[in-house]
Structures are given as structure tokens and as C-alpha cells.
Amino acid sequence: MTAGQVDASHRDPPIADREQQVLDRIDRARRRVPRVREERITMSHGSGGKATQTLVEAIFLDAFRNPLLEPLEDSAQLVLGGSRVALTTDSYVVSPLFFPGGCIGDLAVNGTVNDLAVSGVTPLYLSAGFILEEGFPVADLTRVAQSMRDAAAAAGVSVVTGDTKVVQRGKADGCYINTAGVGLNSRGVTLGVATARPGDAIIVSGPIGDHGVTIMLARGELDIEADVVSDTAPLNGLVSALLDAVPDVRAMRDATRGGVATILNEIARAAQAGVLVSEADIPVREEVRGACELLGIDPMYVACEGRLVAVVPGDSADRAVATLRAHPLGSAAAVIGHVTGEQPGIVALKTAFGGTRIVDLLVGDPLPRIC
Amino acid sequence: MRFVDEFRDADKAHALAAKIAALCEPGRQYKLMEVCGGHTHTIYKHGLEDYLPESITLVHGPGCPVCVIPMGRVDDAIHLASRPEVIMTSFGDMMRVPGSNGSFFDAKANGTDIRMVYSPLDSLKIARQNPDRQVVFMAIGFETTAPSTAMTMLRAAAEGLTNFSVFCNHVTIIPAIKAILDSPDLRLDGFIGPGHVSTIIGCRPYEFIARDYGKPVVVAGFEPLDILQSIYMLMLQLSQGRSEVENQYSRVVPWDGNLVALKAIGQTMELRPYFEWRGLGFISHSALKVRETYAAMDAELLFEVPGVRVADPKACQCGEVLKGVLKPWECKVFGTACTPETPIGTCMVSPEGACAAYYNYGRMHRSRVPEVVQLGRRP
Amino acid sequence: MCLGIPGEIVELHPEQPDLAKVNVSGVRRLINIGLLSDDPPKPGEWVLIHVGFALSKIDEAEAAAAMEFLEGIGQAYEDEIAALRDSLIE
């Protein structure tokens, strides 16, 4: 067949191209405006994965839309009377209330402190709202309050205001807590995952999945014993050390519900870049790995409560890891991957085996009421 | 992790990949079917296809017991669960399978008492703790899981529990494989045999495939090196013109299977004359039901079950995907109307479904491992 | 559903012969070993666990043989790669 002749048989494009066409069509579909299809809230809406994201964007962002909310980072950056402050809030519905390594009180303080800290802000003051179930033992409430006192002292923050409500037996599971936190952006930093760019390194401050697995085992339904404890901890000290050594940190995130995988997807999405991580480099404790294998769960989606994920410029990576490792909460810090220019919006994982696969946002909820 | 990590070693993978590539006859295309959903999952989760030359295509088979449950049976189960006295217990894999009016998950959101369990024995625990309720266990799975249901029933009987029953949807693998072999749409060169089903039924049941259909079968383990080694063994058979049943998973699979397990199944269950498989239609003697002697534990007898046949949605092409005729991305609704959050069919919602595996792990530009490409070209 | 994972038997249940405690990477769980009643596992032996039941014993000799095959392939591969490299030098 010479140039100029038309091939009347119209052969199909090769398989690889047809597959790519389908993948492109899917990408376009995924970028469409989010809509909540369900009529009723399901447990997935609380998992921190796709359903949560859709709910937040379609209902809350839609209702409250304003430029301060849009970045949907861990805390909102505000200017009050000339000072840069940050505001965040979190609710805690963990079951069971007391578990190896801590209790709901520790989570309530550390979680909110961390949301402020990873924005580069110095956490200062917390509010604490309690919803208590009729019949909840006062002794337990005292334990929770005392844990919060100790956690606040360790983090260097004060609980300065609060609220208490009681609902009838059966309407709350013992005790629910909401904390809001306010802090001062004294460094004047603006961090955000949207600033990540190809070449940046992605670092995790320690082994992942400890908290989620601890809670799952503490529920006692699975008859599994293991020496795992929750990693709940205030990260403001660690963050401070990191920012002192590496002022050009692009972003940090607190790895809670949805795990590290969710954060990697948030990075890829906000920065419209690719993310490539290496399974062999992700620190996971043996017991956490064992428990996850036993139950068919991927540790990358399991919640932590004292781990941060940091995005730093490539040539600052070594300094960042060394700084984290010098701190007791970051002794197992490691670079787990990089931001790339390929396949924007997609998180790819190089398996320990050498192949590659993608890591998508979670659908459904393997471990409900984890924090 | 012992017996796991050593079978995930990348260096050995490169070596196997080179050997596999070297066995490919130039110009020839090979289609190997992995029957078992667990294998499909491993292949995608570890990016195994990157180690195979372009001339080998892996075809995904119907060995996903969740995938083959027809919508009508899901509706039946939800109907059962909706009874106020019933506590339905189920493996997590079933929770999002769509029926005509939603899944177990949706029913649960609407107040139906459906609880996830890890083991059928957990249902017994719930039954003991709730003597005034009726606990029904949604039994699914191939021959791998049927013995566990059987042992649970025997235990319930031994304890004299009167509030436990089973809604039995166990299916058997051989009729499904036979349906594939007899299907005119497919021309397969060999089978990666199901690993864990074989711990129960052994390797003999596959002999008819090699003997009567002339296709080699290698029973494979679930780690990536197991699957690669099995592919190597299949390619070796093909290059030597052999068609036999081989056992790559010999560290776990006994050639004769597990007689205690088979006895337990035989004691408590029997084959149904026929059963509807999603996508494959009615297949005779392909599923199990509770034996008459254990009628007191048969949920279908204890409670009225509508038993309505529900046709799959028009857009759904699960049947062709299950038979390996279509690759997930070739299904018209893949990724757009049918996604893991909004599944139309079971292939997208089961953790072992080919569509779910591809969507969650494989949906990207693949790049072959360089050694495979390089060494595969050598004469 | 096909999910089966290797675990090491730690101890047999003192009262119930059908139950045993297994260890999977430091995680311990009680499982039912009733399906292996023909040749019950002993502490130190490994079994394949599926939905709370042991389906089969892991045969250490077979596992070693499988590894040997894979090691052998690995060596042959390294030799071949070395040969390839050497031939390029010429």
C-alpha cells in the first residue's frame, strides 16, 4: 500500500490505544462535578475516602462556598486584626473509648493540635464540646478529661472553652467529643498540597496503620491479639523542628482516616501531578502487616493518629528525613516516593515485587469509627 | 512474613520472566486463563503483567464466588434480613453487591440488622449471645469455603443451637470451568488452576481438562512468584507439546485434597440439580444446598424466600467479563456508569472481581519490565 | 474470598481439641483446626488459614523445594545476564 491510498478495510486501532481511550474517558468522567447519589447517609460517608470527599464537596462546600474554605486543607488560614491565624475543628466518635496507647480524650486533643501543626501554625487554644449519653459512667468521663489535660500539657495548648450536652440512652455511644483549635501563623508560611510539583519528595514520619489496627483489635470482635498500640501523639514539636531545618516544605498532612493513600491522592489531585511511591520504602510494623494480611486490608488505607506526610523539594529530602529521625516521634521517618510529571492525578505504587499498580481513593469503609 | 515474603522476591521474578519470554514461539499469541478471583487480584495488586511479554494475555475467569451470585439471590437475602427477628451475618465481600433495590450496605443504612463477620464461627457466637433472635449466615464461596460452613453447622448441631441457619449459596468450580471450555467464544491455551479450592478437592478433578480438551493446567499459589512460576510451567508444557495437570502450590495443596473437609461437606450439604450463575446462566449440579437431615438449619426452608429471578441490567456485561470474553475496560459501562462506588455489576464490586481489580489497581499505562522485552527477543 | 494466609501454630487449646492459637507476624488468633483432624497440626507447624479455619498444613519440604527451584532459576538468570554483558564488551 503506497502513501496516498486509502485503506478501505478500516482496521480497529491497536489494543493499547483502545485501552488508553477508555482510560481517558474514565478520567473525564471522574473530573465531573461531584454529586451525592444516596438518599441516606451511609457509613462510607464517614470513612475519609471517596464518599466523604463527595459529601464534603457536593453538600458542604456547595452550601458554604467561600475562598477560605475552598482549599479544603486540614485547617483554614485566616487574617484576624492583622495577625495570621488558623482555625480547625474535628469530632471524635471512636469506639471503644479506651484502647491501648490512649483514649478518645488523647485523640480529641492531638488530632486538633495536629491539624493546626501541619499547616505550619503554632497551636494555642482548644475548645471542647461533649455529647454524653445518659448512663455514661462519671468515672470514665473523669478519665477522659484527665487524659485531655495531660495531652494538652504535652502539646503546650490550653482548653479554654467548651460545652456539655446530654442525650438519652441509646442516642450517643457513651461519649462524643468535638474540639476546635486556633493557632498563630507566626512563621507566616503558606503550605498546601496544591503547591507540590514534579521532583518533590514525599516523606512519612513513621510506621503507618498503628492506630487503625489497634482500634480494630480493641473492639474484640475479631479474637485477635497483638502488641500494637495507637500512635496518637501531638506533632507540633516535630513539625517545628522540620520547618526550622527545611523552611521550603511545600505541605504537610496529618494521616488520619483513609490513611496515607488518601493523602497521596489529595496531593495528586490538588497539584494535578502524578505520585509514584515505592511499597518497599513504606514503613509498616510487622504486627500491623500481619493483622492487615489476616483481614485482607491494605495498611495504606488504615488510619494513623500521630504521623505526618510531608512534601518537600527533592534536594531537601535528606535534610528533612535526618531532622525527623532526630526527633523521638520521627525515628522511623522515610522517603516513600516522589511527585512526578506523568499521569497527573494518579497515584502509582511500585510493588515490592517490581510491578506497578495504582492506589485509588477508598470506596467503602473497612474500619468504621476509627477516630 | 514467612511463606509470603520469599515468594515476592523481585530478582527471582526477573529470572522467571526471562525464562517465560524465551519459551514464546515467535509470532504466536498465548491466552492463559486464571480461573480464581484471588489470582486476578494478586496479578493486578503486584503489577504482575509488567513481567509478561506482549504475546501472553491473561484472561480472567469466573472464579469469584461473589461475582456469580445473581441479583435475585441478593434480593432474597435482604428479604430474609429484613425480618425483625433475623440477624443476617455475612462476609465483608458481599456488603456492596447490588440487588434490585440496593445492597446489604444500603439495607443496613435503612436499619436492617446485617453484621459483617470474618468467620462463619462468629455467627455462632452472635447466635449464642442473642438467644431470642434468629441468626442467618449468608454462605458464599467455592469449595474453599464450603467446609468452613459445614464445620460450623456441625458445631451448631453439637451445641444444640436452635437459632442458627444458613442461606446457602456455595458453588462448585468444575462446572464453571467446563462451561468456559465449552464456550465457543474462547480459545484458551492453558489454565492457571485455583489454589485454595484445590486444597479441598485436590488436583484430580482437573484431569479431564488435560485429557479431554488437551489444555495444560497448573494449580498455582497466590504470591506473585507462584503465579509467575505457574505461567512458566504452562509455557514449558505448551512448548513441549504436553497437556497435564501439575501442582505448583505443592507446599499447600495435597494431590488428593482434604478428605475430612469433603466428608463434612457431604454430611451437611448436597448438590442442587441446577443453579443460576450470573452471566453464565443455569448450570446443572454446580451449587450446594443444605441437606434434609439439617433442614432445621436451612434458611430457605425456615423462612419464606421470594425466589424471584431478576434479569441483570441491560447495560451489564458481567457475563462476558466472567467468561473472559471481554477485558474489564472493554465493557461499555466500565468506569463511567459502573464504578466501585456506583457498581452496576458484581465484577466491579467484589474485591476479587476482574473489573474491581483493574479499576483499583490496573487503570494506568503499563510498561513492561525491560529484561522481559530484551530477553524475549533472543532466538 | 480466596484469602488464605500462612500462620504458625503456637499452642493447642487445652480443653477444645478443635481449636489452636496461631501466630501471623506477631498477631495471634484462635482458629479451628477441625478440618485437619486426620493429621492434627502441632505447635511449630505451619497451616493455611481461611475464614478462621486451617485448610491444610504447609509442607516445609515442598516449600523448600519450591524455593530451591526459584533460587536455581535466579542463578541461571544471573549467569545469563553476565554472559550477555560479557558478549557486549567484545
Side-chain angles (χ1 to χ4, degrees), chain B residues 88-124:
Chain B
M88 175 67 81
T89 56
S90 164
F91 293 138
D93 317 40
M94 271 309 296
M95 294 302 287
R96 302 184 140 260
V97 176
S100 329
N101 288 314
S103 62
F104 280 15
F105 196 67
D106 299 324
K108 197 169 143 75
N110 280 326
T112 309
D113 198 342
I114 302 180
R115 305 187 196 180
M116 230 172 79
V117 291
Y118 162 70
S119 164
L121 293 173
D122 298 339
S123 312
L124 289 190

mmCIF file of all heavy atoms in Angstrom, chain B residues 88-124:
data_model
loop_
_atom_site.group_PDB
_atom_site.id
_atom_site.type_symbol
_atom_site.label_atom_id
_atom_site.label_comp_id
_atom_site.label_asym_id
_atom_site.label_seq_id
_atom_site.Cartn_x
_atom_site.Cartn_y
_atom_site.Cartn_z
ATOM 1 N N MET B 88 -28.735 -11.044 60.122
ATOM 2 C CA MET B 88 -28.016 -11.627 58.988
ATOM 3 C C MET B 88 -26.529 -11.406 59.198
ATOM 4 O O MET B 88 -26.110 -10.299 59.548
ATOM 5 C CB MET B 88 -28.487 -10.950 57.697
ATOM 6 C CG MET B 88 -27.725 -11.382 56.450
ATOM 7 S SD MET B 88 -28.018 -13.101 55.995
ATOM 8 C CE MET B 88 -29.581 -12.949 55.152
ATOM 9 N N THR B 89 -25.754 -12.450 59.017
ATOM 10 C CA THR B 89 -24.304 -12.290 59.129
ATOM 11 C C THR B 89 -23.686 -12.620 57.778
ATOM 12 O O THR B 89 -24.134 -13.548 57.086
ATOM 13 C CB THR B 89 -23.723 -13.218 60.207
ATOM 14 O OG1 THR B 89 -24.100 -14.564 59.911
ATOM 15 C CG2 THR B 89 -24.243 -12.848 61.581
ATOM 16 N N SER B 90 -22.664 -11.863 57.405
ATOM 17 C CA SER B 90 -22.106 -12.028 56.062
ATOM 18 C C SER B 90 -20.650 -11.640 56.028
ATOM 19 O O SER B 90 -20.197 -10.811 56.818
ATOM 20 C CB SER B 90 -22.914 -11.152 55.099
ATOM 21 O OG SER B 90 -22.213 -10.975 53.890
ATOM 22 N N PHE B 91 -19.911 -12.233 55.079
ATOM 23 C CA PHE B 91 -18.546 -11.776 54.849
ATOM 24 C C PHE B 91 -18.612 -10.367 54.273
ATOM 25 O O PHE B 91 -19.571 -9.991 53.609
ATOM 26 C CB PHE B 91 -17.840 -12.680 53.834
ATOM 27 C CG PHE B 91 -17.603 -14.071 54.320
ATOM 28 C CD1 PHE B 91 -17.821 -15.165 53.485
ATOM 29 C CD2 PHE B 91 -17.146 -14.328 55.606
ATOM 30 C CE1 PHE B 91 -17.589 -16.465 53.910
ATOM 31 C CE2 PHE B 91 -16.916 -15.622 56.049
ATOM 32 C CZ PHE B 91 -17.143 -16.698 55.193
ATOM 33 N N GLY B 92 -17.520 -9.612 54.496
ATOM 34 C CA GLY B 92 -17.476 -8.241 54.005
ATOM 35 C C GLY B 92 -17.655 -8.117 52.506
ATOM 36 O O GLY B 92 -18.243 -7.147 52.018
ATOM 37 N N ASP B 93 -17.161 -9.113 51.748
ATOM 38 C CA ASP B 93 -17.215 -9.039 50.279
ATOM 39 C C ASP B 93 -18.622 -8.869 49.727
ATOM 40 O O ASP B 93 -18.811 -8.382 48.628
ATOM 41 C CB ASP B 93 -16.677 -10.330 49.637
ATOM 42 C CG ASP B 93 -15.425 -10.843 50.302
ATOM 43 O OD1 ASP B 93 -15.349 -10.795 51.536
ATOM 44 O OD2 ASP B 93 -14.522 -11.286 49.587
ATOM 45 N N MET B 94 -19.621 -9.345 50.484
ATOM 46 C CA MET B 94 -20.992 -9.310 49.975
ATOM 47 C C MET B 94 -21.670 -7.969 50.177
ATOM 48 O O MET B 94 -22.708 -7.682 49.582
ATOM 49 C CB MET B 94 -21.855 -10.340 50.725
ATOM 50 C CG MET B 94 -21.909 -11.718 50.158
ATOM 51 S SD MET B 94 -22.318 -11.789 48.418
ATOM 52 C CE MET B 94 -23.975 -11.125 48.411
ATOM 53 N N MET B 95 -21.096 -7.142 51.037
ATOM 54 C CA MET B 95 -21.833 -5.981 51.533
ATOM 55 C C MET B 95 -22.297 -5.010 50.441
ATOM 56 O O MET B 95 -23.314 -4.366 50.574
ATOM 57 C CB MET B 95 -21.011 -5.215 52.581
ATOM 58 C CG MET B 95 -20.750 -5.970 53.867
ATOM 59 S SD MET B 95 -22.244 -6.494 54.739
ATOM 60 C CE MET B 95 -22.814 -4.919 55.387
ATOM 61 N N ARG B 96 -21.516 -4.896 49.370
ATOM 62 C CA ARG B 96 -21.878 -3.882 48.372
ATOM 63 C C ARG B 96 -22.429 -4.457 47.079
ATOM 64 O O ARG B 96 -22.609 -3.742 46.100
ATOM 65 C CB ARG B 96 -20.633 -3.049 48.028
ATOM 66 C CG ARG B 96 -20.073 -2.398 49.259
ATOM 67 C CD ARG B 96 -18.909 -1.487 48.944
ATOM 68 N NE ARG B 96 -19.011 -0.309 49.754
ATOM 69 C CZ ARG B 96 -19.486 0.857 49.343
ATOM 70 N NH1 ARG B 96 -19.862 1.015 48.108
ATOM 71 N NH2 ARG B 96 -19.585 1.862 50.179
ATOM 72 N N VAL B 97 -22.704 -5.777 47.073
ATOM 73 C CA VAL B 97 -23.211 -6.379 45.839
ATOM 74 C C VAL B 97 -24.623 -5.863 45.581
ATOM 75 O O VAL B 97 -25.493 -5.984 46.441
ATOM 76 C CB VAL B 97 -23.220 -7.919 45.959
ATOM 77 C CG1 VAL B 97 -23.842 -8.546 44.732
ATOM 78 C CG2 VAL B 97 -21.816 -8.434 46.170
ATOM 79 N N PRO B 98 -24.873 -5.296 44.410
ATOM 80 C CA PRO B 98 -26.194 -4.699 44.180
ATOM 81 C C PRO B 98 -27.287 -5.731 43.919
ATOM 82 O O PRO B 98 -27.119 -6.621 43.097
ATOM 83 C CB PRO B 98 -25.974 -3.817 42.939
ATOM 84 C CG PRO B 98 -24.729 -4.300 42.305
ATOM 85 C CD PRO B 98 -23.955 -5.106 43.282
ATOM 86 N N GLY B 99 -28.408 -5.595 44.637
ATOM 87 C CA GLY B 99 -29.621 -6.342 44.308
ATOM 88 C C GLY B 99 -30.508 -5.388 43.514
ATOM 89 O O GLY B 99 -30.055 -4.319 43.113
ATOM 90 N N SER B 100 -31.814 -5.740 43.341
ATOM 91 C CA SER B 100 -32.677 -4.824 42.568
ATOM 92 C C SER B 100 -32.930 -3.525 43.303
ATOM 93 O O SER B 100 -33.200 -2.501 42.700
ATOM 94 C CB SER B 100 -34.045 -5.433 42.272
ATOM 95 O OG SER B 100 -33.987 -6.778 42.150
ATOM 96 N N ASN B 101 -32.900 -3.602 44.651
ATOM 97 C CA ASN B 101 -33.201 -2.399 45.440
ATOM 98 C C ASN B 101 -32.067 -2.069 46.374
ATOM 99 O O ASN B 101 -32.292 -1.736 47.526
ATOM 100 C CB ASN B 101 -34.481 -2.618 46.258
ATOM 101 C CG ASN B 101 -35.708 -2.609 45.372
ATOM 102 O OD1 ASN B 101 -35.852 -1.747 44.527
ATOM 103 N ND2 ASN B 101 -36.567 -3.587 45.570
ATOM 104 N N GLY B 102 -30.870 -2.172 45.902
ATOM 105 C CA GLY B 102 -29.737 -1.835 46.760
ATOM 106 C C GLY B 102 -29.036 -3.061 47.305
ATOM 107 O O GLY B 102 -29.449 -4.193 47.114
ATOM 108 N N SER B 103 -27.955 -2.794 48.041
ATOM 109 C CA SER B 103 -27.088 -3.859 48.536
ATOM 110 C C SER B 103 -27.325 -4.069 50.030
ATOM 111 O O SER B 103 -28.127 -3.359 50.645
ATOM 112 C CB SER B 103 -25.642 -3.430 48.339
ATOM 113 O OG SER B 103 -25.414 -2.254 49.115
ATOM 114 N N PHE B 104 -26.613 -5.010 50.615
ATOM 115 C CA PHE B 104 -26.654 -5.226 52.072
ATOM 116 C C PHE B 104 -26.312 -3.919 52.779
ATOM 117 O O PHE B 104 -26.892 -3.567 53.796
ATOM 118 C CB PHE B 104 -25.586 -6.249 52.503
ATOM 119 C CG PHE B 104 -25.983 -7.683 52.283
ATOM 120 C CD1 PHE B 104 -27.039 -8.041 51.474
ATOM 121 C CD2 PHE B 104 -25.266 -8.700 52.900
ATOM 122 C CE1 PHE B 104 -27.386 -9.364 51.275
ATOM 123 C CE2 PHE B 104 -25.595 -10.033 52.720
ATOM 124 C CZ PHE B 104 -26.654 -10.375 51.909
ATOM 125 N N PHE B 105 -25.342 -3.227 52.237
ATOM 126 C CA PHE B 105 -24.862 -1.981 52.818
ATOM 127 C C PHE B 105 -25.984 -0.955 52.877
ATOM 128 O O PHE B 105 -26.189 -0.287 53.891
ATOM 129 C CB PHE B 105 -23.714 -1.477 51.947
ATOM 130 C CG PHE B 105 -22.875 -0.430 52.595
ATOM 131 C CD1 PHE B 105 -22.087 -0.739 53.683
ATOM 132 C CD2 PHE B 105 -22.887 0.874 52.122
ATOM 133 C CE1 PHE B 105 -21.321 0.218 54.286
ATOM 134 C CE2 PHE B 105 -22.109 1.837 52.727
ATOM 135 C CZ PHE B 105 -21.327 1.513 53.810
ATOM 136 N N ASP B 106 -26.728 -0.846 51.771
ATOM 137 C CA ASP B 106 -27.858 0.082 51.718
ATOM 138 C C ASP B 106 -28.934 -0.354 52.702
ATOM 139 O O ASP B 106 -29.519 0.461 53.406
ATOM 140 C CB ASP B 106 -28.456 0.124 50.296
ATOM 141 C CG ASP B 106 -27.454 0.601 49.270
ATOM 142 O OD1 ASP B 106 -26.643 1.494 49.606
ATOM 143 O OD2 ASP B 106 -27.465 0.089 48.137
ATOM 144 N N ALA B 107 -29.202 -1.660 52.736
ATOM 145 C CA ALA B 107 -30.218 -2.186 53.661
ATOM 146 C C ALA B 107 -29.830 -1.862 55.089
ATOM 147 O O ALA B 107 -30.656 -1.492 55.918
ATOM 148 C CB ALA B 107 -30.374 -3.693 53.471
ATOM 149 N N LYS B 108 -28.536 -2.005 55.383
ATOM 150 C CA LYS B 108 -28.048 -1.717 56.733
ATOM 151 C C LYS B 108 -28.275 -0.247 57.070
ATOM 152 O O LYS B 108 -28.694 0.093 58.169
ATOM 153 C CB LYS B 108 -26.548 -2.038 56.777
ATOM 154 C CG LYS B 108 -25.972 -2.184 58.164
ATOM 155 C CD LYS B 108 -24.562 -2.768 58.063
ATOM 156 C CE LYS B 108 -23.635 -2.150 59.093
ATOM 157 N NZ LYS B 108 -23.890 -2.658 60.432
ATOM 158 N N ALA B 109 -28.017 0.624 56.100
ATOM 159 C CA ALA B 109 -28.243 2.057 56.326
ATOM 160 C C ALA B 109 -29.714 2.331 56.600
ATOM 161 O O ALA B 109 -30.057 3.295 57.283
ATOM 162 C CB ALA B 109 -27.768 2.865 55.123
ATOM 163 N N ASN B 110 -30.585 1.474 56.064
ATOM 164 C CA ASN B 110 -32.013 1.653 56.298
ATOM 165 C C ASN B 110 -32.504 0.966 57.551
ATOM 166 O O ASN B 110 -33.700 0.901 57.792
ATOM 167 C CB ASN B 110 -32.808 1.131 55.091
ATOM 168 C CG ASN B 110 -32.831 2.138 53.960
ATOM 169 O OD1 ASN B 110 -32.856 3.340 54.197
ATOM 170 N ND2 ASN B 110 -32.805 1.642 52.732
ATOM 171 N N GLY B 111 -31.581 0.405 58.330
ATOM 172 C CA GLY B 111 -31.960 -0.154 59.627
ATOM 173 C C GLY B 111 -32.003 -1.668 59.705
ATOM 174 O O GLY B 111 -32.268 -2.223 60.764
ATOM 175 N N THR B 112 -31.757 -2.357 58.584
ATOM 176 C CA THR B 112 -31.765 -3.827 58.624
ATOM 177 C C THR B 112 -30.552 -4.332 59.398
ATOM 178 O O THR B 112 -29.447 -3.802 59.242
ATOM 179 C CB THR B 112 -31.709 -4.385 57.189
ATOM 180 O OG1 THR B 112 -32.721 -3.762 56.411
ATOM 181 C CG2 THR B 112 -31.917 -5.881 57.158
ATOM 182 N N ASP B 113 -30.746 -5.367 60.214
ATOM 183 C CA ASP B 113 -29.654 -5.863 61.051
ATOM 184 C C ASP B 113 -28.798 -6.848 60.264
ATOM 185 O O ASP B 113 -29.051 -8.054 60.243
ATOM 186 C CB ASP B 113 -30.221 -6.534 62.314
ATOM 187 C CG ASP B 113 -29.162 -6.668 63.411
ATOM 188 O OD1 ASP B 113 -27.955 -6.575 63.096
ATOM 189 O OD2 ASP B 113 -29.546 -6.884 64.573
ATOM 190 N N ILE B 114 -27.784 -6.307 59.610
ATOM 191 C CA ILE B 114 -26.836 -7.133 58.869
ATOM 192 C C ILE B 114 -25.474 -6.863 59.466
ATOM 193 O O ILE B 114 -25.053 -5.716 59.567
ATOM 194 C CB ILE B 114 -26.815 -6.768 57.365
ATOM 195 C CG1 ILE B 114 -28.203 -6.933 56.760
ATOM 196 C CG2 ILE B 114 -25.802 -7.631 56.633
ATOM 197 C CD1 ILE B 114 -28.279 -6.592 55.291
ATOM 198 N N ARG B 115 -24.762 -7.928 59.872
ATOM 199 C CA ARG B 115 -23.461 -7.739 60.525
ATOM 200 C C ARG B 115 -22.374 -8.474 59.757
ATOM 201 O O ARG B 115 -22.554 -9.610 59.330
ATOM 202 C CB ARG B 115 -23.520 -8.266 61.948
ATOM 203 C CG ARG B 115 -24.645 -7.648 62.742
ATOM 204 C CD ARG B 115 -24.608 -8.033 64.188
ATOM 205 N NE ARG B 115 -25.883 -7.745 64.822
ATOM 206 C CZ ARG B 115 -26.137 -7.980 66.113
ATOM 207 N NH1 ARG B 115 -25.205 -8.495 66.886
ATOM 208 N NH2 ARG B 115 -27.325 -7.687 66.604
ATOM 209 N N MET B 116 -21.244 -7.778 59.645
ATOM 210 C CA MET B 116 -20.101 -8.357 58.953
ATOM 211 C C MET B 116 -19.367 -9.318 59.877
ATOM 212 O O MET B 116 -19.151 -8.982 61.047
ATOM 213 C CB MET B 116 -19.134 -7.229 58.604
ATOM 214 C CG MET B 116 -18.692 -7.218 57.178
ATOM 215 S SD MET B 116 -17.749 -5.749 56.827
ATOM 216 C CE MET B 116 -16.170 -6.181 57.527
ATOM 217 N N VAL B 117 -19.017 -10.500 59.378
ATOM 218 C CA VAL B 117 -18.200 -11.423 60.165
ATOM 219 C C VAL B 117 -16.977 -11.836 59.368
ATOM 220 O O VAL B 117 -16.981 -11.797 58.143
ATOM 221 C CB VAL B 117 -18.996 -12.692 60.571
ATOM 222 C CG1 VAL B 117 -20.082 -12.359 61.579
ATOM 223 C CG2 VAL B 117 -19.594 -13.381 59.356
ATOM 224 N N TYR B 118 -15.942 -12.257 60.094
ATOM 225 C CA TYR B 118 -14.732 -12.723 59.431
ATOM 226 C C TYR B 118 -14.824 -14.227 59.195
ATOM 227 O O TYR B 118 -14.305 -14.752 58.221
ATOM 228 C CB TYR B 118 -13.513 -12.364 60.297
ATOM 229 C CG TYR B 118 -12.274 -13.141 59.972
ATOM 230 C CD1 TYR B 118 -11.586 -12.920 58.785
ATOM 231 C CD2 TYR B 118 -11.789 -14.113 60.843
ATOM 232 C CE1 TYR B 118 -10.449 -13.643 58.473
ATOM 233 C CE2 TYR B 118 -10.660 -14.840 60.537
ATOM 234 C CZ TYR B 118 -9.990 -14.606 59.356
ATOM 235 O OH TYR B 118 -8.871 -15.325 59.059
ATOM 236 N N SER B 119 -15.496 -14.933 60.091
ATOM 237 C CA SER B 119 -15.579 -16.383 60.013
ATOM 238 C C SER B 119 -17.020 -16.804 60.279
ATOM 239 O O SER B 119 -17.716 -16.147 61.060
ATOM 240 C CB SER B 119 -14.658 -16.978 61.080
ATOM 241 O OG SER B 119 -14.947 -18.347 61.303
ATOM 242 N N PRO B 120 -17.492 -17.917 59.652
ATOM 243 C CA PRO B 120 -18.852 -18.377 59.975
ATOM 244 C C PRO B 120 -19.014 -18.679 61.464
ATOM 245 O O PRO B 120 -20.111 -18.554 62.011
ATOM 246 C CB PRO B 120 -19.028 -19.641 59.129
ATOM 247 C CG PRO B 120 -17.717 -19.949 58.532
ATOM 248 C CD PRO B 120 -16.853 -18.759 58.625
ATOM 249 N N LEU B 121 -17.907 -19.031 62.138
ATOM 250 C CA LEU B 121 -17.982 -19.310 63.573
ATOM 251 C C LEU B 121 -18.406 -18.076 64.365
ATOM 252 O O LEU B 121 -19.006 -18.183 65.433
ATOM 253 C CB LEU B 121 -16.615 -19.788 64.086
ATOM 254 C CG LEU B 121 -16.164 -21.149 63.557
ATOM 255 C CD1 LEU B 121 -14.729 -21.435 63.988
ATOM 256 C CD2 LEU B 121 -17.083 -22.258 64.041
ATOM 257 N N ASP B 122 -18.096 -16.880 63.838
ATOM 258 C CA ASP B 122 -18.522 -15.648 64.515
ATOM 259 C C ASP B 122 -20.044 -15.580 64.575
ATOM 260 O O ASP B 122 -20.609 -14.997 65.493
ATOM 261 C CB ASP B 122 -17.977 -14.402 63.783
ATOM 262 C CG ASP B 122 -16.458 -14.354 63.780
ATOM 263 O OD1 ASP B 122 -15.841 -15.014 64.639
ATOM 264 O OD2 ASP B 122 -15.887 -13.661 62.919
ATOM 265 N N SER B 123 -20.714 -16.161 63.556
ATOM 266 C CA SER B 123 -22.187 -16.174 63.560
ATOM 267 C C SER B 123 -22.700 -16.994 64.729
ATOM 268 O O SER B 123 -23.733 -16.664 65.313
ATOM 269 C CB SER B 123 -22.749 -16.788 62.282
ATOM 270 O OG SER B 123 -22.142 -16.263 61.160
ATOM 271 N N LEU B 124 -21.995 -18.070 65.065
ATOM 272 C CA LEU B 124 -22.424 -18.908 66.188
ATOM 273 C C LEU B 124 -22.330 -18.119 67.480
ATOM 274 O O LEU B 124 -23.193 -18.214 68.353
ATOM 275 C CB LEU B 124 -21.550 -20.160 66.302
ATOM 276 C CG LEU B 124 -21.700 -21.237 65.232
ATOM 277 C CD1 LEU B 124 -20.945 -22.495 65.648
ATOM 278 C CD2 LEU B 124 -23.164 -21.563 65.001
#
